Amino acid sequence: MGLQNQKEKIIIIDFGSQVTKLIARRIRDFGVFSEILTINDLYKVKDYTDIKGIILSGGPSTVTKKKYLSIPKEIFQKKIPILGICYGLQLIAKLFGGSIKSLRKKREFGRAILNKKSESLLIKNFFKVKNKSVWMSHQDAVTKLPKGFKIIASTKDSKLTIIENTKIKIYGVQFHPEVTHTENGNEIFKNFLFLVCKIKKKWQVSSETNRLINQIRKTVKRDKVICALSGGVDSSVVALLINKAIKKNLVCIMVDTGLMRKNEFKDSYKIFKKKYKLNVKLINASKLYLKKLKNINNPEKKRKIIGNLFIKIFEKESKKYKSIKYLAQGTLYPDIIESRSVTGSQSSKIKSHHNVGGLPRRMNLKLIEPLKEFFKDEVRVLGKSLGLIDSIRNKHPFPGPGLAIRIVGNITSEKIKILQEADHIYINELIKHKLYNKIWQAYAGLLPMKTVGVMGDSRTYEYTCLLRAVVSEDGMTADYFTFPKDFLDKISNKIVNGVPGINRVVYDITSKPPSTIELE
Ligand code: XMP
């Protein structure tokens, strides 16, 4: 990960917290570009001109040990404002001569009440409510104030919860302002950005489009690029971007596994071909997938078969085109962040469910990943500036293995058809009731057991349809969506009446964790 040039930004040093990427999101939402760097990345930064502020994230390490994660000391001489969060605060305290102790018995986890002790630029509009609660997650605490610092706020168990040294513009907070459980947490970022760093609101995702197009042109030159197009948001935006940059030299392949939603694949194909005039080829592989998946019950086996078959088909097809040098992928920023270690080593891998992950090496292709700096919702904004139609732009995420992981157990063409019908009814009703865009992901699944029902005067013995709808920020955690009872009644009725093969509908009310979003 290199730094972006030519724009003012805030950098976030990642010490390994699970929520570091939320910090980047919050800052970008304020119209300020932010980038997450590992400690190794930081050592490589030569020019600090565009860096207007530095945030040190939380993380699982402890400064109470002899060896601990730290940053180059020269950073403090650059007079760039710094905000430390949790571990970041403890590191600042340690480097400036404070003391840090392990709390063990008095560790703070969850909500804590914060009391203001002094005024500060950092807390403007932050203490708007009585009994101000903040989200804590720490075992160590700063017990002695570092020299030149002042206490701004305390909780019962940790006196030094917000500290500052205005002379050198260094601030620290023990709680996590980036998580929504901290009331008005955004005010802390807003104050840090605009009152302390004095950075301007200049950044907009949509204005990145031209830069990306130019970057693709510069990289690819006259070579050819191949891209697997699924009709989801990410691959669609990638294809449109690259098409804008190099037109005929982009080859898009759509592999129809037969495991997609009803009509969706063929409809998307028509849109890409006719509306966007992409050079796109549709390959119908549904029979082959069905054959390979016959009698396979194990979820991991299913995933492997689907992934490997995809690679085989794609590889075979791409060999028909000469002089392809690049493979375009819709890798997103969270994928990049999650696949590297805190220090920046390349040892950890891209998530295994990236089903085209093995392609570039196998086919000896170079990768281009134009979305690797962006979050999903930012990709949707890019899509808008590229003229991507709303029905694709706002589409819920859909997994690579498709309906195969939503049909629990073995897969047959009959089950796929049943599920496609049920899912079609469900999704259309969500759209009709203006619920679709309120939900992060929704789908119908098919459970492998048959149960008894009664329709008219006859006994039925049919499958159970499971409905899932979740709200989430990035798919890592999720809460089930609460539907009005009327909607559930209606949908259950419509599915049971409209889909032969289903006589029971259940709504999944588990969150992730402990459940996952998909069934397999
Ligand atoms: P889980 O089921 O792990 O899903 O809670 C989290 C998010 O990841 C998606 N998902 C996949 N996406 N290939 C993909 O491209 C896959 O193999 C895959 N498996 C799960 C899932 O739809 C959800 O958005």
Side-chain angles (χ1 to χ4, degrees):
M1 261 322 277
L3 270 174
Q4 288 303 305
N5 289 322
Q6 300 144 355
K7 59 185 167 210
E8 292 190 341
K9 69 189 128 213
I10 298 291
I11 59 169
I12 300 147
I13 315 301
D14 185 11
F15 290 102
S17 155
Q18 296 290 319
V19 284
T20 301
K21 58 178 184 291
L22 286 183
I23 306 174
R25 289 267 321 247
R26 304 283 176 254
I27 292 171
R28 288 184 184 194
D29 286 347
F30 279 117
V32 170
F33 188 70
S34 66
E35 197 174 14
I36 300 174
L37 300 191
T38 62
I39 300 166
N40 272 358
D41 290 335
L42 193 60
Y43 276 97
K44 289 181 206 146
V45 176
K46 299 245 155 43
D47 183 2
Y48 277 81
T49 328
D50 292 328
I51 299 173
K52 300 296 170 204
I54 299 173
I55 295 182
L56 310 177
S57 87
S61 316
T62 170
V63 297
T64 58
K65 295 245 166 79
K66 233 181 170 179
K67 264 191 150 184
Y68 55 90
L69 293 174
S70 189
I71 50 175
K73 286 228 169 85
E74 303 83 74
I75 297 262
F76 299 109
Q77 272 124 47
K78 308 222 178 265
K79 300 202 169 106
I80 301 173
I82 297 179
L83 170 65
I85 296 175
C86 197
Y87 180 79
L89 158 83
Q90 294 158 16
L91 181 64
I92 289 169
K94 176 84 182 177
L95 297 176
F96 284 87
S99 306
I100 295 91
K101 288 219 170 81
S102 171
L103 285 177
R104 246 177 276 143
K105 280 191 189 144
K106 281 194 162 176
R107 68 186 180 166
E108 286 181 300
F109 188 81
R111 285 200 170 81
I113 300 296
L114 189 66
N115 298 303
K116 182 156 86 174
K117 300 288 172 195
S118 192
E119 287 301 340
S120 158
L121 278 185
L122 194 70
I123 57 165
K124 190 177 167 205
N125 293 330
F126 182 57
F127 281 88
K128 268 191 259 180
V129 284
K130 264 194 177 168
N131 289 330
K132 167 93 203 155
S133 83
V134 293
W135 187 259
M136 291 288 202
S137 175
H138 67 121
Q139 293 219 38
D140 294 351
V142 182
T143 48
K144 190 184 118 205
L145 197 62
K147 226 174 138 204
F149 281 74
K150 181 173 145 190
I151 303 177
I152 304 299
S154 314
T155 64
K156 193 162 85 12
D157 291 320
S158 61
K159 221 172 120 198
L160 304 165
T161 295
I162 305 182
I163 63 169
E164 71 169 22
N165 180 334
T166 46
K167 217 166 153 196
I168 49 174
K169 294 193 176 162
I170 297 185
Y171 297 78
V173 298
Q174 181 57 72
F175 56 92
H176 288 268
E178 68 276 29
V179 303
T180 46
H181 308 305
T182 293
E183 286 170 291
N184 305 330
N186 257 340
E187 298 295 333
I188 296 281
F189 292 117
K190 197 167 155 191
N191 296 333
F192 181 66
L193 296 178
F194 303 118
L195 301 181
V196 179
C197 304
K198 298 197 164 67
I199 194 165
K200 300 239 160 47
K201 243 183 214 196
K202 270 198 213 154
W203 187 75
Q204 263 185 329
V205 193
S206 54
S207 49
E208 294 284 293
T209 322
N210 285 338
R211 179 180 68 83
L212 292 170
I213 292 171
N214 286 334
Q215 216 171 43
I216 295 166
R217 270 190 203 133
K218 249 181 158 171
T219 312
V220 175
K221 300 196 179 85
R222 279 157 193 266
D223 290 319
K224 276 206 164 80
V225 180
I226 195 163
C227 154
L229 190 54
S230 70
V233 193
D234 308 339
S235 68
S236 303
V237 172
V238 166
L240 290 193
L241 260 179
I242 299 179
N243 186 57
K244 276 240 156 107
I246 59 163
K247 286 255 151 49
K248 284 188 196 92
N249 282 340
L250 170 69
V251 177
C252 301
I253 307 282
M254 291 184 80
V255 179
D256 189 354
T257 58
L259 298 164
M260 304 297 189
R261 290 185 156 129
K262 188 181 172 185
N263 297 337
E264 195 177 286
F265 214 60
K266 290 198 175 81
D267 289 351
S268 319
Y269 171 72
K270 277 188 213 143
I271 291 168
F272 290 125
K273 185 109 191 146
K274 297 219 169 102
K275 184 173 167 64
Y276 298 113
K277 313 248 178 310
L278 295 189
N279 178 8
V280 52
K281 182 158 183 201
L282 180 74
I283 297 164
N284 188 345
S286 41
K287 279 200 183 123
L288 192 58
Y289 271 89
L290 210 52
K291 196 171 133 201
K292 295 270 182 203
L293 287 168
K294 199 174 171 188
N295 296 328
I296 305 290
N297 286 285
N298 181 296
E300 276 311 299
K301 267 195 188 151
K302 279 187 192 174
R303 282 174 176 275
K304 286 225 166 75
I305 291 170
I306 293 168
N308 290 340
L309 195 53
F310 185 90
I311 289 179
K312 259 194 187 157
I313 295 171
F314 192 84
E315 198 179 7
K316 190 175 152 203
E317 202 47 47
S318 61
K319 282 194 179 135
K320 295 180 186 162
Y321 299 88
K322 295 229 161 60
S323 67
I324 287 179
K325 276 230 176 102
Y326 291 90
L327 174 75
Q329 278 189 349
T331 316
L332 301 188
Y333 199 32
D335 300 334
I336 300 276
I337 304 166
E338 279 152 27
S339 66
R340 62 185 186 189
S341 69
V342 173
T343 52
S345 77
Q346 296 301 311
S347 57
S348 40
K349 292 186 206 99
I350 300 272
K351 276 193 248 174
S352 61
H353 66 48
H354 244 251
N355 52 18
V356 283
L359 271 171
R361 216 165 357 117
R362 218 175 126 133
M363 292 168 56
N364 208 10
L365 293 175
K366 288 186 199 163
L367 258 187
I368 45 171
E369 299 171 303
L371 307 183
K372 69 177 177 192
E373 297 161 32
F374 302 99
F375 292 102
K376 188 103 185 170
D377 47 353
E378 294 173 337
V379 172
R380 296 190 208 275
V381 178
L382 285 177
K384 191 173 178 103
S385 70
L386 288 161
L388 182 64
I389 54 169
D390 282 354
S391 58
I392 298 185
R393 200 169 69 81
N394 295 326
K395 216 183 259 186
H396 290 170
F398 187 74
L403 301 185
I405 56 172
R406 294 177 177 176
I407 295 174
V408 179
N410 76 319
I411 294 161
T412 62
S413 61
E414 182 215 7
K415 284 186 186 170
I416 295 175
K417 271 203 198 94
I418 292 175
L419 181 57
Q420 280 177 333
E421 289 306 324
D423 186 77
H424 190 65
I425 293 174
Y426 181 37
I427 299 298
N428 280 350
E429 285 299 313
L430 288 176
I431 295 170
K432 217 166 97 189
H433 285 79
K434 298 202 169 23
L435 290 167
Y436 187 83
N437 289 336
K438 292 187 180 153
I439 291 165
W440 198 75
Q441 194 170 10
Y443 68 85
L446 199 68
L447 300 183
M449 80 277 193
K450 287 188 173 181
T451 61
V452 173
V454 55
M455 278 180 99
D457 291 327
S458 323
R459 173 188 189 270
T460 57
Y461 187 56
E462 292 174 342
Y463 291 114
T464 300
C465 170
L466 172 142
L467 301 179
R468 186 101 167 106
V470 294
V471 282
S472 173
E473 209 151 352
D474 53 11
M476 300 288 283
T477 60
D479 287 317
Y480 72 87
F481 186 77
T482 308
F483 283 117
K485 183 179 175 296
D486 290 0
F487 179 80
L488 287 174
D489 290 350
K490 187 171 177 190
I491 202 77
S492 157
N493 216 357
K494 274 208 152 186
I495 291 177
V496 172
N497 285 318
V499 188
I502 291 177
N503 67 351
R504 197 174 289 272
V505 174
V506 295
Y507 184 53
D508 186 341
I509 54 161
T510 39
S511 295
K512 173 186 179 176
S515 212
T516 54
I517 295 175
E518 301 293 345
L519 294 178
E520 290 192 332

